[in-house]
Amino acid sequence: MNAFMLKAEEVARRLDVTLQNGLSDAEIENRRERYGKNEFSRRPPVPFWKRLLSALAEPMMILLLVALFITLGVNIFRAIIGEHTEFIECAGIFIAISLSVGISLIMEGRSRKAFEALNKMKDDFKVRVIRSGKATLIDQSELVPGDVVVLETGNKIPADGRLFEGNGLTVDESALTGESAAVKKDPELLFENEKTALAERRNCVYSGCFVTAGNGKMVVTSIGDDTEFGKIAQELTKNEQETIPIQEKLSRLGKIITVIGASISALVFIIQVVYAGISGAFTSGTAAFQVISEAFISSIVLIVAAVPEGLPTMVAVSLAINVIKMSKKNALVKKLVACETIGCVNVICSDKTGTLTENRMTVTDIFCDGVLIKPETLTAGFFADNICVNSAADLEKTETGTRFVGNPTESALLTAYGKAAGLPEYRTVREQKEKIFVFPFSSETKNMTTLVKDNGKATVYTKGSPEKILSMCTSALINGKTEPLTEALRKKLDEQIAAFQKQAKRVLGFAHKQTEIPKDCAAERAQIESDLIFDGFSAIADPLRKEVYDAVLQSRSAGVDIKILTGDNIVTASAIADELHLLDADHAAYEAHLLEELDDKALSDLLPRIRVIARSTPTIKMRIVNLLKKQGNVVAVTGDGINDAPAIKNADVGIAMGISGTEVSKEAADIILLDDSFATIVKAIHWGRGIYKNFQRFIQFQLTVNVSSVLVVLISVLAGLKSPFTALQILWINLIMDGPPGLTLGLEPISPDLMKEKPTPRNAFIISTQMLTRILVNGLFITLVVLSQSFEATRFIPASPEQVPTILFTLFVVFQLFNALNSRDLSARSILFNGLFRNKLLLGMFVLTFALQIIITQFGGAVFKTVPLTLTQWGYIAAVGFSIIVFDEIIKLAVRLGRRLRSR
């Protein structure tokens, strides 16, 4: 039922209720059984086993599981054929999996608990209804369709309804529609177009909104999930989020590593079997079985070498630690990977009201006594008295600040009055003035007038539409003197007023006069409101948050486009966009109804030009987000209202306001801003970029380990030698040794220069060309040096035959430790002369892991198949390991010189 298209009486007839008496007790019980309670359906919590499976389904985690099953299979196979087994390898991989999954579940669980604490369901509140002809108070959850509800200033609207009475009723619908100004309601209006925007249906009221002035009555048309609020909440459950950029990148990397690792191991297996056949090793069935089993084991070792076991753990730990750090920066991360994804964002679709602006009407300027002033410099006089006396609003002190009670515009005026120094408290002024009569504001008269008794006479104060106020004035107060309101002065005032109106500010005119006390005020209104003295006007707006201008400027300089999707009208929306310098010859503002008529192709083509969409609906917001993502953009959506929730849910990163945000918007979000500051989003983008760079540092380091270990094993096997590393040694290299230094690479201090770079494209491979070159070059260098030690003719570290495997293993580990220092920088800068000691944690881990390697080498022979080395051999190993830094510095120096030559 489109109640906004029907008269209130017709709505009541269809709901089978009388507007005067309301529902009977018997009918209430019937409807409660039919419609249920006035509550939203809550989704059941995700079972632990589903969250566990989701964590295990991550690409890198699948690789770890593959490695676990492979090593388990190898050891079972060894046990069957009677060889020595080392199930400790399986235990090592199992610990890695448990650590990664455990951290992920624990951290997301903590974020979820914090979110739930922030987002507790609001206590049930009382509603005044008419039932069986009597007024009574009930819990809002007990409302049913057809109930007659009495609305008064300050009430929260408990359900959707059609108005049938209204006296100066205005409603704040910003949470639902994004309309910043309170909406004046009129029960007598009818609409013929069923597509009339929600923000324009002024004969209806909606659940979750607030009455800011006046009073009225409504008949309930929808409750719970059937309300506009509820429909949006239910829509969220239908739109599952797609994979985000980092998941796509890691999945792609995982597939490539899996294919390469499996291909190389298969190739090695085939080559070994062919070599054995050519050499005549298949002399018997037992011999053939032995050859094939050894070839199989060698191939499995290669797969273990190819899999970056430490990556899932590093990702989980790094994200978890950064979630904690971001929470200290007022960004509560609900979804772990969101703290990285936000760094790749290149488009922010932002709501206006409550996000870019304060969602609080504020007096920005006052024209008084012929001059333009700020509220802080207002002085005593008729203008100041008008604000205090000619008002029905009030201000209430709370723990978090000041709450507006009554009309937001009048409350804003009282707040501005309070900023002026030396003026008495507004309540004191009211108490000193004896009111005679009040003409309340109405949409017909467009002004409010109050008469007060003053020394036996009456002082008339009026305020309202500046055009209306000026039409009632014959003079104006200029420089402390009353001057005739000439045409020249009127024109000057009109120009001043028009300048503020072009900025989408609401202008109120003020006037007064002193006269004899009327005998019948109601009958003499025309006389009372004539020959007034014009005192000036105030400019009122929902101002930008203090930090927004700089934050938007910084975002755009970082290559992040800003689009405003708001429920406000196009004039107000464009004014805010102009203030932020978002509109120019190439970028414009559009109204939503014009865009809704376009097909996806036409709208996609227009998207680069769109900077503002006024009168946005949840549907158009969601459509814009999905089209931007299809174009390859990484999209963040930020908002605080119910109408923002579907777009927040569909974005790559959904961001909600923690203080002013509605429950539904916070439910849909990935990140909640605890301070409601747009600047926090910029900080989060900076952090996210740093996290992404740290992932790249670790990946460069880890893949250098994998490439060099695969090459060493592969070339050794092809050369007819036994694999230089056992599977457990490979696991130690990939996981235990790379874990501590790799994790500290993931915590590398974030560079302030990151916000000068462009965002990482959605389809960009996580390994850049420069990274790949360094992985291959350094990996090849390590391989050649290690293999040189394998052959007696090229051996450079003196060792007995029994010590050679231990030296190869230890030398390889020390190479990787020094290479971790190389990986701190992804560019061609020298690490020796650029902040070598900036990441002290990495240096500490370097010393710790070096010490661990000494311990397992000297004393862990039973497990790792090592023998003790001499102090001289350790000196050789340390010196040769350091050569990877020297080699890398020479390569980077050559790159820098090449760039200088090309730039000349």
Side-chain angles (χ1 to χ4, degrees):
M1 175 172 60
N2 290 329
F4 62 93
M5 299 176 66
L6 304 173
K7 291 184 177 181
E9 292 76 15
E10 175 62 19
V11 172
R13 188 186 66 78
R14 294 193 183 190
L15 291 170
D16 194 20
V17 63
T18 59
L19 297 177
Q20 292 71 31
N21 297 323
L23 297 170
S24 65
D25 292 340
E27 186 59 29
I28 291 166
E29 289 303 319
N30 291 334
R31 298 193 184 199
R32 185 170 294 128
E33 290 181 9
R34 180 178 174 186
Y35 296 105
K37 285 196 169 187
N38 181 28
E39 297 174 340
F40 302 129
S41 301
R42 302 284 292 179
R43 283 179 293 173
V46 179
F48 175 79
W49 65 270
K50 280 191 176 181
R51 292 192 287 121
L52 177 61
L53 286 180
S54 176
L56 289 172
E58 294 294 327
M60 291 295 104
M61 199 55 56
I62 292 173
L63 287 180
L64 268 184
L65 289 170
V66 170
L68 174 62
F69 288 124
I70 288 173
T71 50
L72 186 62
V74 167
N75 281 283
I76 291 174
F77 178 72
R78 285 175 173 170
I80 291 173
I81 64 175
E83 289 191 1
H84 176 69
T85 58
E86 294 178 347
F87 283 100
I88 192 170
E89 298 167 353
C90 304
I93 300 178
F94 180 76
I95 290 171
I97 293 173
S98 302
L99 179 64
S100 182
V101 172
I103 288 173
S104 178
L105 292 177
I106 289 170
M107 289 312 303
E108 289 200 11
R110 285 181 180 176
S111 290
R112 185 162 43 251
K113 287 178 182 177
F115 163 70
E116 288 169 358
L118 180 74
N119 217 0
K120 285 180 181 177
M121 286 292 289
K122 291 174 279 293
D123 293 335
D124 205 0
F125 57 91
K126 297 293 183 180
V127 180
R128 188 179 172 197
V129 297
I130 306 295
R131 287 181 170 179
S132 300
K134 297 179 181 179
T136 183
L137 287 176
I138 65 168
D139 291 338
Q140 63 91 20
S141 61
E142 298 300 318
L143 281 175
V144 295
D147 258 325
V148 173
V149 178
V150 179
L151 301 173
E152 296 175 333
T153 300
N155 286 169
K156 179 181 178 181
I157 297 170
D160 290 2
R162 174 65 163 88
L163 290 168
F164 63 89
E165 283 186 20
N167 300 305
L169 187 68
T170 60
V171 178
D172 178 2
E173 296 182 339
S174 58
L176 181 62
T177 67
E179 175 68 67
S180 56
V183 180
K184 296 173 185 176
K185 296 296 182 176
D186 187 346
E188 302 303 319
L189 288 176
L190 284 177
F191 299 92
E192 297 181 358
N193 186 357
E194 64 179 0
K195 293 185 179 180
T196 301
L198 204 65
E200 296 175 3
R201 300 176 190 174
R202 292 190 289 118
N203 56 6
C204 292
V205 289
Y206 298 98
S207 171
C209 302
F210 290 86
V211 178
T212 58
N215 57 71
K217 292 180 181 178
M218 75 170 191
V219 56
V220 174
T221 55
S222 302
I223 63 171
D225 291 340
D226 293 327
T227 62
E228 294 297 332
F229 189 134
K231 288 175 185 176
I232 294 174
Q234 292 304 305
E235 183 69 24
L236 301 178
T237 64
K238 301 177 184 177
N239 296 291
E240 294 299 326
Q241 234 174 358
E242 300 172 5
T243 57
I244 57 174
I246 189 61
Q247 291 173 325
E248 295 167 3
K249 289 176 170 66
L250 290 179
S251 177
R252 184 181 174 191
L253 177 62
K255 289 175 182 176
I256 291 173
I257 291 173
T258 301
V259 170
I260 293 176
S263 300
I264 292 176
S265 64
L267 179 64
V268 168
F269 177 78
I270 293 170
I271 291 174
Q272 288 185 99
V273 171
V274 171
Y275 277 180
I278 293 173
S279 62
F282 296 142
T283 55
S284 66
T286 302
F289 181 79
Q290 185 69 27
V291 169
I292 292 173
S293 66
E294 288 181 1
F296 180 71
I297 291 171
S298 297
S299 301
I300 294 306
V301 170
L302 266 177
I303 289 182
V304 175
V307 174
E309 288 93 348
L311 183 55
T313 304
M314 194 286 302
V315 168
V317 173
S318 178
L319 289 175
I321 292 173
N322 280 287
V323 163
I324 296 171
K325 288 183 177 181
M326 288 179 71
S327 68
K328 294 177 181 178
K329 300 288 185 180
N330 292 315
L332 175 63
V333 179
K334 285 175 56 189
K335 190 172 182 180
L336 212 57
V337 292
C339 63
E340 182 281 330
T341 306
I342 194 169
C344 301
V345 164
N346 68 318
V347 179
I348 297 176
C349 294
S350 177
D351 179 38
K352 180 188 77 67
T353 306
T355 305
L356 298 176
T357 64
E358 295 179 357
N359 193 19
R360 187 179 180 90
M361 301 307 291
T362 303
V363 177
T364 60
D365 300 274
I366 292 175
F367 184 86
C368 179
D369 203 21
V371 294
L372 200 60
I373 62 172
K374 292 296 180 182
E376 291 79 3
T377 58
L378 181 65
T379 56
F382 290 109
F383 194 106
D385 289 347
N386 198 330
I387 292 175
C388 301
V389 177
N390 190 26
S391 171
D394 215 335
L395 300 177
E396 183 180 291
K397 296 290 184 182
T398 65
E399 292 181 359
T400 57
T402 303
R403 186 172 75 89
F404 285 6
V405 180
N407 185 280
T409 300
E410 291 187 347
S411 298
L413 288 167
L414 291 176
T415 302
Y417 175 88
K419 294 178 181 178
L423 294 181
E425 211 266 340
Y426 76 89
R427 291 187 180 91
T428 303
V429 177
R430 285 182 180 177
E431 291 170 1
Q432 293 172 349
K433 305 288 186 180
E434 181 185 344
K435 287 188 180 181
I436 300 171
F437 197 83
V438 176
F439 296 102
F441 181 90
S442 71
S443 55
E444 289 77 22
T445 62
K446 297 183 179 180
N447 72 305
M448 174 181 181
T449 300
T450 299
L451 282 74
V452 298
K453 195 171 184 180
D454 190 6
N455 295 323
K457 291 192 174 184
T459 300
V460 179
Y461 296 100
T462 188
K463 72 174 187 295
S465 159
E467 294 81 11
K468 174 67 180 292
I469 299 300
L470 280 170
S471 70
M472 299 188 296
C473 294
T474 55
S475 57
L477 197 62
I478 304 293
N479 296 325
K481 298 179 180 179
T482 302
E483 297 184 2
L485 195 55
T486 62
E487 287 300 317
L489 183 54
R490 284 182 184 273
K491 184 178 179 181
K492 181 179 178 181
L493 291 171
D494 286 340
E495 289 174 353
Q496 289 266 20
I497 291 168
F500 284 108
Q501 289 174 333
K502 285 180 181 178
Q503 298 174 30
K505 294 182 178 181
R506 185 180 183 190
V507 179
L508 281 181
F510 291 76
H512 83 282
K513 80 172 182 180
Q514 292 177 312
T515 184
E516 298 296 329
I517 298 176
K519 294 181 180 179
D520 186 351
C521 292
E524 300 178 42
R525 180 168 187 174
Q527 178 62 31
I528 292 170
E529 295 181 336
S530 62
D531 296 323
L532 299 175
I533 301 170
F534 186 73
D535 295 318
F537 63 83
S538 65
I540 304 174
D542 180 11
L544 283 174
R545 292 179 179 273
K546 292 180 180 178
E547 77 283 354
V548 164
Y549 183 86
D550 289 338
V552 168
L553 190 64
Q554 191 176 0
S555 296
R556 294 182 65 191
S557 67
V560 181
D561 191 19
I562 308 291
K563 298 184 187 295
I564 299 176
L565 312 182
T566 177
D568 259 324
N569 61 68
I570 195 165
V571 175
T572 303
S574 297
I576 291 294
D578 278 328
E579 199 170 342
L580 294 171
H581 304 300
L582 295 179
L583 301 181
D584 51 37
D586 299 320
H587 302 94
Y590 294 84
E591 288 192 322
H593 71 89
L594 299 175
L595 302 178
E596 287 173 340
E597 299 172 358
L598 302 177
D599 59 30
D600 285 354
K601 174 66 168 59
L603 184 53
S604 293
D605 292 342
L606 191 60
L607 277 178
R609 180 171 171 75
I610 295 174
R611 278 280 170 80
V612 175
I613 301 179
R615 292 298 188 208
S616 290
T617 62
T619 302
I620 193 67
K621 289 184 179 184
M622 194 164 55
R623 188 179 171 201
I624 292 292
V625 169
N626 289 330
L627 288 176
L628 285 168
K629 287 169 64 178
K630 283 182 180 179
Q631 291 180 342
N633 297 291
V634 181
V635 184
V637 172
T638 177
D640 64 342
I642 303 162
N643 61 321
D644 302 313
I648 288 174
K649 179 70 174 178
N650 279 266
D652 291 302
V653 183
I655 304 169
M657 300 295 159
I659 300 173
S660 62
T662 60
E663 180 187 348
V664 176
S665 65
K666 288 183 280 190
E667 180 76 31
D670 301 309
I671 297 175
I672 299 174
L673 304 182
L674 301 181
D675 58 357
D676 282 14
S677 173
F678 193 86
T680 302
I681 300 174
V682 180
K683 294 177 186 176
I685 290 174
H686 188 196
W687 271 94
R689 290 187 177 188
I691 294 169
Y692 184 79
K693 290 292 185 184
N694 287 345
F695 282 177
Q696 287 185 309
R697 290 183 175 96
F698 176 81
I699 289 170
Q700 177 176 297
F701 167 60
Q702 177 79 71
L703 291 189
T704 304
V705 175
N706 295 123
V707 166
S708 52
S709 60
V710 167
L711 286 176
V712 169
V713 173
L714 176 61
I715 295 173
S716 297
V717 170
L718 294 180
L721 301 175
K722 188 178 179 181
S723 172
F725 310 130
T726 66
L728 184 60
Q729 287 174 344
I730 288 290
L731 187 62
W732 172 264
I733 292 167
N734 283 7
L735 180 60
I736 307 301
M737 290 299 295
D738 294 346
L743 178 59
T744 53
L745 280 174
L747 300 176
E748 185 75 15
I750 296 172
S751 169
D753 294 336
L754 288 178
M755 291 304 283
K756 297 177 183 177
E757 300 178 8
K758 297 298 180 184
T760 303
R762 187 185 196 97
N763 57 356
F765 192 34
I766 197 166
I767 302 175
S768 66
T769 303
Q770 186 172 348
M771 286 173 61
L772 183 59
T773 301
R774 290 180 67 184
I775 289 168
L776 294 176
V777 171
N778 288 349
L780 189 58
F781 176 81
I782 293 170
T783 301
L784 292 175
V785 175
V786 170
L787 285 176
S788 296
Q789 180 67 21
S790 300
F791 299 98
E792 189 173 351
T794 55
R795 191 168 297 156
F796 48 84
I797 301 177
S800 65
E802 294 78 16
Q803 290 177 321
V804 169
T806 300
I807 288 179
L808 291 176
F809 169 49
T810 305
L811 177 61
F812 190 85
V813 167
V814 173
F815 257 134
Q816 305 307 336
L817 280 176
F818 279 110
N819 193 49
L821 300 179
N822 286 335
S823 299
R824 289 187 57 216
D825 188 74
L826 295 171
S827 65
R829 293 182 303 177
S830 168
I831 64 154
L832 294 177
F833 306 105
N834 289 282
L836 177 62
F837 298 99
R838 191 175 59 177
N839 191 344
K840 293 181 177 60
L841 186 59
L842 175 60
L843 297 177
M845 285 299 178
F846 177 93
V847 173
L848 175 63
T849 48
F850 203 113
L852 283 175
Q853 184 63 30
I854 293 174
I855 292 170
I856 71 156
T857 301
Q858 300 297 108
F859 308 105
V863 176
F864 288 94
K865 302 295 184 289
T866 58
V867 295
L869 301 177
T870 67
L871 185 60
T872 301
Q873 288 172 322
W874 277 108
Y876 270 113
I877 289 170
V880 174
F882 184 77
S883 68
I884 187 62
I885 291 182
V886 177
F887 176 76
D888 195 61
E889 289 292 308
I890 292 171
I891 296 297
K892 288 191 286 188
L893 177 62
V895 171
R896 293 197 298 271
L897 290 174
R899 288 177 180 172
R900 288 176 188 173
L901 291 173
R902 286 194 298 271
S903 63
R904 289 180 180 176

